[in-house]
Amino acid sequence: MEEIKTYLQPGLELVNNFINAALQSDIQLLDSTNRSLREHPGKMMRPMLALLVAQAAGIATPPPEDTYRYAAATELLHNATLLHDDVVDGATERRGLPTVASLLGGSAAVLIGDYWLAKCLRLVLGARREADRVLRLFAQTIGHLTEGELLQMQKAASADTTQADYMRIIYGKTASLFESASMSAALSVGAPEPTVRAMGDFALNLGLAFQIKDDIFDYEEDASSIGKPVGIDLKEQKITQPLLCALDGADAATQKAIREKVKNIPDHPEYIADVTAFVKECDGVEKAGKVIDSCTEKAISCLEILPESKEKLYLAKLAEFVGRRKK
């Protein structure tokens, strides 16, 4: 990842320039909060994906301005959803720092998230190539994000999440934005339609693998080593891939009993330890890892349409990294 970041550094600086310019405001509270958030930008995974796709799929060297606009817009949309998620989840910390919601309140966090979303759309509308189609892609993604979160809330209350439900949830929550980031990048360089579609499929599978890996972290024992609290998903009654894999090998009575425990975790937090033990006994984490491997293989197969290049190699390495990352 460090090698890829170094390789993409000039492009990432251009992306950051677009983001920083878009977020400037003469309202001191908004401007200072935006600058504080920008000091801790996270992995920048989606802009990295976009820049690699643009360079691997296009004939323009370097990529046009639209590539950086769309990559910046993707990151703005991603962070807008995080600001909103922290309100929904009641989260007090993100990336090791207090959330905007915990510092300024939920209302301010929602409004600032809306501001980032507005600036995302403004960046897209300022592009020269395929702005209408990319805007439709982003609008579709916002719909998927909302549906994914609401379906997850619905299923958490009933504890009846199926594998199909889970895949729809993580597509909406995570993979749909990866997909839009990749497709918009391919569109920005005038890639042919089969390549645009293939890059969308690549990113979709990459996003699924990314979220499954995140869900596996919830069953890790050492929170300090992965950079996030553990046990949060179960506390919120979320049935994710490790638990689904464990349930898949259990008899009907055991499945019913475990789901009942998940459903009653708010009143019996001690059930978290019981469910976690069940997942470990049934090798749920290892089996979930195999689902990641399958997603990774599908993602890499989508790259066959691309000509050989350093960027194509890095896309494959990015797919492999997502499933093996430690935090």
Side-chain angles (χ1 to χ4, degrees):
M1 280 298 292
E2 290 307 315
E3 181 182 342
I4 296 174
K5 280 185 178 180
T6 300
Y7 180 72
L8 293 174
Q9 193 57 42
L12 289 173
E13 288 180 6
L14 291 173
V15 171
N16 282 323
N17 289 343
F18 271 109
I19 294 174
N20 292 334
L23 292 175
Q24 286 183 352
S25 172
D26 61 355
I27 298 174
Q28 184 179 357
L29 177 62
L30 179 58
D31 193 59
S32 62
T33 304
N34 288 341
R35 282 189 281 107
S36 178
L37 289 168
R38 290 296 298 145
E39 288 173 2
H40 305 277
K43 301 181 187 70
M44 295 287 285
M45 181 74 73
R46 293 149 195 85
M48 289 172 61
L49 168 64
L51 294 181
L52 288 175
V53 166
Q55 294 180 55
I59 56 174
T61 306
E65 179 183 290
D66 288 352
T67 298
Y68 306 106
R69 277 184 168 273
Y70 292 155
T74 302
E75 188 67 6
L76 285 168
L77 175 53
H78 170 56
N79 281 279
T81 65
L82 297 183
L83 286 160
H84 290 164
D85 285 351
D86 289 340
V87 177
V88 172
D89 298 337
T92 58
E93 186 176 294
R94 181 174 291 280
R95 296 168 182 164
L97 297 168
T99 61
V100 173
S102 69
L103 293 173
L104 301 178
S107 297
V110 169
L111 290 169
I112 293 171
D114 289 347
Y115 184 81
W116 285 53
L117 177 58
K119 294 302 181 177
C120 153
L121 301 178
R122 181 108 182 217
L123 274 178
V124 172
L125 288 170
R128 297 180 180 180
R129 186 195 293 268
E130 298 282 7
D132 287 349
R133 183 171 176 188
V134 172
L135 189 61
R136 287 195 296 272
L137 277 174
F138 276 48
Q140 188 176 47
T141 296
I142 294 169
H144 288 316
L145 286 162
T146 306
E147 289 175 345
E149 290 289 350
L150 287 171
L151 179 58
Q152 182 170 259
M153 290 172 65
Q154 175 185 312
K155 291 298 177 179
S158 56
D160 61 352
T161 305
T162 65
Q163 184 67 45
D165 294 330
Y166 173 73
M167 284 298 177
R168 183 179 179 187
I169 288 167
I170 66 171
Y171 169 73
K173 284 178 51 178
T174 303
S176 62
L177 186 50
F178 276 79
E179 184 180 37
S180 290
S182 188
M183 291 181 71
S184 62
L187 289 166
S188 75
V189 293
E193 188 61 25
T195 300
V196 174
R197 295 291 180 183
M199 293 304 93
D201 290 341
F202 167 81
L204 186 157
N205 284 286
L206 180 74
L208 294 177
F210 186 91
Q211 186 58 54
I212 295 170
K213 186 65 176 179
D214 244 25
D215 293 341
I216 285 175
F217 285 146
D218 203 57
Y219 290 88
E220 298 286 346
E221 294 181 359
D222 184 4
S224 63
S225 67
I226 61 176
K228 63 172 283 188
V230 298
I232 296 299
D233 287 347
L234 280 178
K235 186 178 179 181
E236 296 174 353
Q237 300 164 275
K238 296 174 183 174
I239 296 178
T240 60
Q241 192 66 67
L243 180 50
L244 285 167
C245 285
L247 288 168
D248 190 49
D251 58 56
T254 301
Q255 288 188 33
K256 182 178 180 181
I258 292 296
R259 287 183 182 274
E260 278 298 311
K261 286 194 172 186
V262 173
K263 190 174 182 178
N264 289 291
I265 280 174
D267 296 324
H268 297 276
E270 69 273 13
Y271 287 168
I272 292 175
D274 296 342
V275 176
T276 301
F278 169 75
V279 169
K280 292 181 178 179
E281 289 168 8
C282 297
D283 298 322
V285 169
E286 290 76 9
K287 292 174 181 176
K290 292 180 180 178
V291 179
I292 290 177
D293 291 342
S294 175
C295 291
T296 301
E297 290 174 8
K298 290 176 183 176
I300 292 175
S301 71
C302 294
L303 300 176
E304 293 175 1
I305 196 171
L306 297 174
E308 295 304 317
S309 68
K310 193 168 189 175
E311 290 81 8
K312 177 181 177 178
L313 175 63
Y314 279 152
L315 284 169
K317 293 295 184 184
L318 190 65
E320 293 171 354
F321 163 78
V322 161
R324 297 176 184 173
R325 62 195 170 99
K326 302 300 181 183
K327 59 182 179 179

